[in-house]
Amino acid sequence: MTYDKNNIFAKILRGELPCKKVYENDFVLAFYDINPQKKIHVIVIPKGEYIDLDHFIQNAKDIEIIEFNKAILNIVKKLKISSKDNGYRVLSNIGIDGGQEVPHLHYHIFGGQNIGKMVV
Ligand code: AMP
């Protein structure tokens, strides 16, 4: 599978589609999900062209992998949902059985309320 440069998140990264930005650095962009499933629902994406977590781990530079994960803490602190607050959930859908719709790697961050059971 090759990376589809016309996926929605690629368009957001190029500024061709708007987003409600939460956080950005040289490696990562985070924005509110357009169809939130919980009180707080944020999407976190690497700026590089990676389809999913497998593709990312196999192809990204170490600094990209480190920065992508470190960004989570900055984002949840900014949203006041870190482990020092009430906490949150991180989730990444991968492939067909994972239910991935947008083929650019993303983490979902859920919080702001009790998230409930892990899988429903
Ligand atoms: P997934 O099923 O893991 O690929 O999730 C894709 C997510 O992207 C869904 O939660 C959508 O609501 C969200 N989404 C789709 N288009 C946009 C957009 N333009 N801005 C923000 N979130 C979006």
Side-chain angles (χ1 to χ4, degrees):
M1 190 177 173
T2 52
Y3 180 82
D4 171 13
K5 287 178 183 287
N6 284 320
N7 75 74
I8 291 168
F9 295 166
K11 289 181 180 175
I12 287 175
L13 277 172
R14 290 195 296 268
E16 294 166 12
L17 284 176
C19 73
K20 209 172 152 202
K21 196 189 295 183
V22 174
Y23 178 86
E24 183 172 18
N25 66 22
D26 287 347
F27 299 92
V28 172
L29 176 67
F31 48 89
Y32 286 102
D33 196 291
I34 205 166
N35 182 24
Q37 300 301 306
K38 298 292 173 191
K39 195 167 172 192
I40 294 174
H41 183 174
V42 167
I43 298 283
V44 189
I45 61 175
K47 289 192 171 176
E49 296 181 345
Y50 302 107
I51 300 166
D52 57 25
L53 200 54
D54 290 0
H55 187 227
F56 185 61
I57 299 298
Q58 288 173 65
N59 295 285
K61 295 186 183 118
D62 286 354
I63 184 128
E64 293 178 283
I65 296 171
I66 291 166
E67 291 294 332
F68 186 53
N69 284 286
K70 276 172 69 174
I72 301 295
L73 185 58
N74 293 328
I75 293 161
V76 298
K77 279 183 176 171
K78 191 168 181 182
L79 294 167
K80 301 197 184 330
I81 57 170
S82 80
S83 57
K84 290 196 163 56
D85 304 292
N86 275 0
Y88 60 98
R89 179 172 297 157
V90 175
L91 178 151
S92 190
N93 295 321
I94 295 135
I96 295 167
D97 280 359
Q100 182 176 4
E101 290 172 6
V102 180
H104 182 114
L105 168 62
H106 50 284
Y107 284 157
H108 296 256
I109 296 179
F110 301 105
Q113 65 179 95
N114 190 311
I115 306 303
K117 288 189 179 179
M118 191 170 73
V119 177
V120 286

